[in-house]
Amino acid sequence: MIDVVVTDLVVEPRAVGTLGLLLSDAERARACRFASDRDARRFVVARARLRQLLGRRLAVAAGSVELARGAHGKPRLARDRDATLRFNASRSGDVAVYAFASGREVGVDVESIRANPDAEGIVARWFTPREQAAYRALDHTRKPLAFLACWTRKEAVVKALGEGLSCPLDRVEAGLAAGGPVRAGGHSWSVRTFFPAPGYVAAVAVGVSAGPQSLRPADGES
Ligand SMILES: CC(C)(COP(=O)(O)OP(=O)(O)OC[C@H]1O[C@@H](n2cnc3c(N)ncnc32)[C@H](O)[C@@H]1OP(=O)(O)O)[C@@H](O)C(=O)NCCC(=O)NCCS
């Protein structure tokens, strides 16, 4: 089962201060590096919320959850308090989306729905021939959403793999909408599109079979 949680990142300024207390020193230092206060607040709320959600699942205090990162930066639990718990997070604008799964790698991506002036170039560069054909067959009014639906599906898969955008997206045939399992990185992924809040589209990808997808060498503290 996958557990998906959606959070509104707009909270009262006083609450941001309280939530900030849950972050590690490294996370607080990262919050200070954002150029805009609004982005710093969004980061603090999103990371604190992630800690709360993990803490609840692990039955520990949110502030004591220890996070590390995989080779390409994918956050994971630093200690195997729950060796089977996998999670991923994404945020766009004022919305954060979290996905949790047991024993299966998981990836999630959310984007605010707006027309992207670079869409045609991105489609030509990063969509598979079949995705390009499906996109080009659409009426122009349906293209902005279809573009983001396909993009979030691809990103959810590469985030499940943990490779981030270092993975060539043009080799991930995720499609514009629901279909059969997606093959990527030697594994099969189930990918779902959903709408976490008005004006946002998201996708979540989870490994089809449990077990062999423990893709988790890791290094530093998050
Ligand atoms: C992960 C990545 C796809 C994020 O995309 P995005 O749309 O800008 O941002 P999102 O909000 O959807 O995702 C960010 C979250 O994904 C998670 N994340 C970070 N790296 C990740 C990875 N490799 N795999 C999966 N999830 C990752 C983190 O929770 C991150 O949240 P944080 O910024 O608060 O720490 C992108 O930053 C990336 O490709 N990172 C990897 C960088 C990389 O491979 N570098 C290689 C050296 S050139």
Side-chain angles (χ1 to χ4, degrees), residues 2-81:
I2 324 169
D3 189 7
V4 172
V5 178
V6 178
T7 291
D8 183 346
L9 297 177
V10 181
V11 302
E12 296 219 333
R14 215 169 346 144
V16 179
T18 310
L19 290 170
L21 299 174
L22 302 179
L23 270 53
S24 68
D25 291 346
E27 288 167 335
R28 273 196 285 269
R30 189 175 159 199
C32 290
R33 292 197 292 273
F34 281 91
S36 96
D37 286 351
R38 188 175 63 165
D39 287 343
R41 281 197 302 274
R42 284 169 168 165
F43 170 77
V44 168
V45 176
R47 190 50 76 98
R49 185 79 178 121
L50 172 64
R51 289 178 160 279
Q52 290 172 329
L53 293 165
L54 287 169
R56 202 173 300 159
R57 283 161 180 78
L58 298 167
V60 300
S64 70
V65 171
E66 290 178 60
L67 297 171
R69 286 183 179 271
H72 297 280
K74 183 173 183 174
R76 64 170 184 83
L77 292 171
R79 292 170 200 250
D80 281 346
R81 291 193 213 245

Side-chain angles (χ1 to χ4, degrees), residues 30 47 69 72-73 75 88-91 109 155 159 162 164-165:
R30 189 175 159 199
R47 190 50 76 98
R69 286 183 179 271
H72 297 280
N88 196 227
S90 177
R91 62 198 159 84
D109 188 53
E155 263 213 54
K159 290 182 73 179
L165 297 181

